[in-house]
């Protein structure tokens, strides 16, 4: 898409990238309205807020088993910008997703998971290093703070339902964060390669195709 075609199709009021994400989610969830949360700090990042994520939507899914499906808005180019038309990648080229089995310690939606996304996004903005499939992050403790859980790390893979999309600003991958146990963290530390991470993800998929994180998993 050229800048001229972009101007003809969209106006400055259009959140072009946001609409692309919404259209993808509508294809999966059939128009079901999610619970959407804006920046947890109250201000958008461009307006001086501390949270890089401009928002997150949470869907209730019964696919495979009951779980929360969380999708970020803010790692890709969300808003009207003719200079970004027809790019190879939209901003950082991804949005984060997370699938979580309901946890007894959560009262309401798991906003701690949205904050975890913000922490990872903050790292990207500050370091200039982005996440890709088969990347690995040790959390150096429970991913849900002050929680007795054996889930102490994160690996990244393409969201099994959302995958990759083309937007007017370029490609966006929906990178799903998958919680892994301390034993799995130590395994990857012994051989910290994308091949090892990919192998672990394929093993997890055998019994958990949607890669739903369960904080009670041992």
């Amino acid at each position: 898409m050229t800048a001229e075609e972009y101007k003809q199709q969209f106006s400055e009021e259009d959140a072009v990238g946001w609409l692309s994400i919404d259209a993808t989610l509508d294809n999966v969830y059939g128009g079901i309205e999610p619970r959407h949360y804006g920046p947890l700090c109250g201000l958008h990042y461009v307006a001086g807020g501390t949270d890089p994520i401009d928002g997150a939507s949470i869907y209730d899914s019964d696919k495979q088993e009951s779980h929360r499906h969380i999708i970020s808005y803010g790692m890709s180019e969300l808003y009207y910008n003719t200079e970004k038309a027809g790019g190879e990648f939209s901003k950082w080229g991804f949005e984060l997703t997370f699938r979580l089995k309901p946890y007894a310690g959560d009262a309401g939606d798991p906003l701690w998971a949205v904050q975890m996304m913000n922490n990872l996004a903050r790292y990207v903005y500050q370091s200039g290093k982005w996440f890709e499939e088969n990347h690995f992050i040790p959390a150096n403790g429970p991913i849900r703070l002050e929680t007795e859980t054996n889930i102490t790390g994160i690996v990244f893979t393409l969201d099994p339902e959302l995958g990759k999309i083309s937007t007017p600003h370029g490609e966006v991958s929906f990178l799903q964060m998958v919680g892994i146990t301390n034993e799995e963290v130590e395994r990857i530390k012994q051989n910290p390669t994308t091949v090892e991470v990919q192998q672990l993800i394929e093993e997890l998929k055998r019994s958990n195709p949607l890669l739903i994180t369960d904080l009670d998993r041992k």
Side-chain angles (χ1 to χ4, degrees):
M1 175 178 287
T2 66
E4 199 55 43
E5 290 170 335
Y6 187 92
K7 291 176 184 177
Q8 291 175 2
Q9 186 170 344
F10 304 107
S11 72
E12 293 183 4
E13 286 72 39
D14 290 327
V16 179
W18 197 300
L19 293 172
S20 295
I21 296 172
D22 282 351
T24 302
L25 292 169
D26 282 344
N27 286 336
V28 172
Y29 286 103
I32 294 173
E33 284 295 319
R35 297 179 297 283
H36 188 81
Y37 296 89
L40 299 183
C41 71
L43 282 176
H44 286 268
Y45 202 57
V46 294
T50 58
D51 292 341
I53 301 297
D54 274 13
S57 285
I58 302 180
Y59 290 84
D60 295 323
S61 177
D62 290 323
K63 296 176 183 176
Q64 184 176 309
E65 63 177 310
S66 178
H67 66 278
R68 308 285 181 262
H69 191 192
I70 309 171
I71 301 93
S72 76
Y73 290 73
M75 303 309 295
S76 60
E77 192 71 42
L78 298 177
Y79 306 109
Y80 182 90
N81 189 334
T82 56
E83 294 181 359
K84 304 298 182 181
E88 182 177 3
F89 296 101
S90 178
K91 204 172 183 176
W92 296 104
F94 68 92
E95 290 292 351
L96 295 168
T97 79
F98 188 55
R99 295 174 187 269
L100 179 69
K101 184 176 180 177
Y103 179 64
D106 287 334
D109 281 328
L111 296 185
W112 62 267
V114 179
Q115 193 55 60
M116 180 170 60
M117 288 180 171
N118 270 305
N119 291 338
L120 293 171
R122 195 171 292 111
Y123 164 80
V124 171
Y125 275 88
Q126 292 174 353
S127 69
K129 300 176 181 178
W130 57 90
F131 298 118
E132 296 180 356
E133 295 174 67
N134 303 316
H135 277 187
F136 157 65
I137 295 286
N140 301 316
I143 64 169
R144 186 184 188 277
L145 299 178
E146 301 178 0
T147 300
E148 291 187 13
T149 175
N150 199 35
I151 305 300
T152 60
I154 293 288
V155 292
F156 297 88
T157 189
L158 269 186
D159 188 295
E161 289 188 297
L162 303 180
K164 296 181 180 181
I165 62 171
S166 295
T167 80
H169 298 144
E171 183 180 273
V172 175
S173 296
F174 290 95
L175 282 186
Q176 184 168 318
M177 304 152 49
V178 182
I180 60 173
T181 65
N182 190 58
E183 182 179 289
E184 292 159 348
V185 168
E186 293 304 315
R187 166 184 163 178
I188 294 176
K189 283 183 176 179
Q190 294 299 313
N191 183 23
T193 64
T194 56
V195 172
E196 184 69 22
V197 174
Q198 185 177 25
Q199 182 174 328
L200 172 60
I201 290 170
E202 291 305 315
E203 291 172 10
L204 293 173
K205 278 184 176 179
R206 291 171 194 164
S207 60
N208 183 9
L210 288 180
L211 296 167
I212 299 165
T213 296
D214 179 359
L215 292 180
D216 293 320
R217 185 168 73 88
K218 305 298 183 185

